Amino acid sequence: LLYDYWLDKRGQRKFPAWQDIDLLDLWQIASCMIIKDVIGDGVDFMNRYWGTQVTHRAGFDATGKTHREIYKDQPLGPQIDTYLAVYETGMAYSVHRSSSFIAGREFVVFNSLNLPVGKTDDKVEHILIAIDYE
């Protein structure tokens, strides 16, 4: 659902702009979504939205928190590399992994689709993420 929506909204562009996205269109998958705002030049990523299913599976609500704030007392986790890749290349990335980077959640396995969003094709300002848990 998210990938087809993203393709439709981007049109002939490399990726859609934030104003092209209507989150109400994505209500069916909202509980398994994360929306990140890029801070600076990819120095960090702020969670604009953190779905309820993500909260349940991760064991915490990270809405309004930065990636570095969430993982301040532990490794940043492998997903930071995915966010940086999306930011730096402006391309979609899909990953499969466990939550081994979250203490007590090692058993949670998921696929995530990470999609760039920005006003122009040369700067990613947000990342839309849909998570499919196993």
Side-chain angles (χ1 to χ4, degrees):
L1 177 70
L2 182 60
Y3 188 68
D4 290 337
Y5 180 82
W6 179 83
L7 285 174
D8 180 59
K9 293 299 181 179
R10 79 176 188 166
Q12 299 301 310
R13 296 192 50 221
K14 189 172 180 182
F15 43 80
W18 180 246
Q19 59 266 26
D20 298 330
I21 306 296
D22 184 348
L23 296 178
L24 291 177
D25 293 339
L26 301 169
W27 66 270
Q28 294 169 305
I29 61 168
S31 68
C32 292
M33 284 186 63
I34 298 171
I35 301 171
K36 297 203 174 267
D37 296 339
V38 177
I39 297 176
D41 291 324
V43 172
D44 207 346
F45 301 88
M46 170 74 74
N47 293 307
R48 175 182 291 253
Y49 177 81
W50 186 272
T52 56
Q53 190 61 233
V54 180
T55 296
H56 174 70
R57 299 292 180 115
F60 58 88
D61 181 3
T63 302
K65 296 180 181 174
T66 68
H67 190 79
R68 293 183 185 281
E69 181 182 358
I70 295 165
Y71 298 103
K72 66 182 181 218
D73 297 325
Q74 55 192 336
L76 290 177
Q79 72 276 24
I80 191 81
D81 295 334
T82 303
Y83 305 150
L84 287 169
V86 172
Y87 172 74
E88 292 168 358
T89 67
M91 296 175 59
Y93 279 83
S94 179
V95 296
H96 174 81
R97 64 173 50 109
S98 74
S99 294
S100 60
F101 51 91
I102 302 173
R105 296 295 178 183
E106 299 84 359
F107 60 90
V108 178
V109 177
F110 62 92
N111 294 297
S112 70
L113 177 62
N114 302 263
L115 302 169
V117 175
K119 288 181 199 159
T120 63
D121 283 351
D122 60 344
K123 183 160 186 177
V124 174
E125 297 171 312
H126 310 279
I127 302 173
L128 298 179
I129 304 165
I131 301 176
D132 183 20
Y133 294 98
E134 292 187 4

